[in-house]
Structures are given as C-alpha cells and as structure tokens.
Amino acid sequence: MISFLKTIIFAWALFIAVSVIGGGGDLFRNLFDKTGMVSQKVTEWVAGKADRYKEDADSIKHFVKELAGEKKKMAKDI
C-alpha cells in the first residue's frame, strides 16, 4: 500500500514538474493529439490542470522577482 502511494505521489510530482517546465497544457495537448489513445475530455482536463500549474508557477516567479527587486532597492537606500 505504501509503495502504491509513493508511486502516485511520484507521478503527481512528475506531472507538476512537466507542467511547469514544459510550458503548461500545450505539451499534453500535442502528445494526446499525436497518440489519439485518450478521449478529448480527459485530454482537456489534464491540459487544463497543467495550464493552471504553469500559471501558478509564473505568478510565484513574478512575485519573487518583485520581492527581490524591493529588497535590493531597500539595501541601496540604507
């Protein structure tokens, strides 16, 4: 049971990593279009999840860049 849970967690982490690094759902849409093995509803669900993860990662990166810029500006002022 634990090994099954580890497998699921690893697969989910891999999915998130591919979503963030690979550019969101476009990678999954292209993959599923080429294979044609999965229904369109499943493809859109997976691609939609990947798009949301990519958007979240981009907003976090933007927030960190803004925060780092403010810290540098504060350091210069002191």
Side-chain angles (χ1 to χ4, degrees):
M1 182 68 181
I2 297 294
S3 65
F4 181 68
L5 184 60
K6 286 180 183 178
T7 304
I8 290 174
I9 291 171
F10 177 74
W12 191 251
L14 183 64
F15 171 73
I16 291 172
V18 168
S19 299
V20 170
I21 295 169
D26 293 335
L27 177 69
F28 293 104
R29 285 184 189 96
N30 290 336
L31 181 67
F32 292 135
D33 285 343
K34 289 179 184 176
T35 60
M37 294 179 0
V38 183
S39 73
Q40 189 67 25
K41 187 179 268 189
V42 173
T43 301
E44 283 304 314
W45 183 79
V46 170
K49 284 281 191 188
D51 287 336
R52 282 192 289 279
Y53 287 132
K54 178 67 175 167
E55 290 171 3
D56 290 345
D58 288 343
S59 66
I60 290 170
K61 283 195 300 189
H62 181 69
F63 173 74
V64 169
K65 284 182 182 180
E66 285 181 355
L67 187 63
E70 290 177 12
K71 296 284 183 177
K72 287 180 184 177
K73 184 178 178 184
M74 286 177 34
K76 285 182 182 180
D77 292 342
I78 294 177

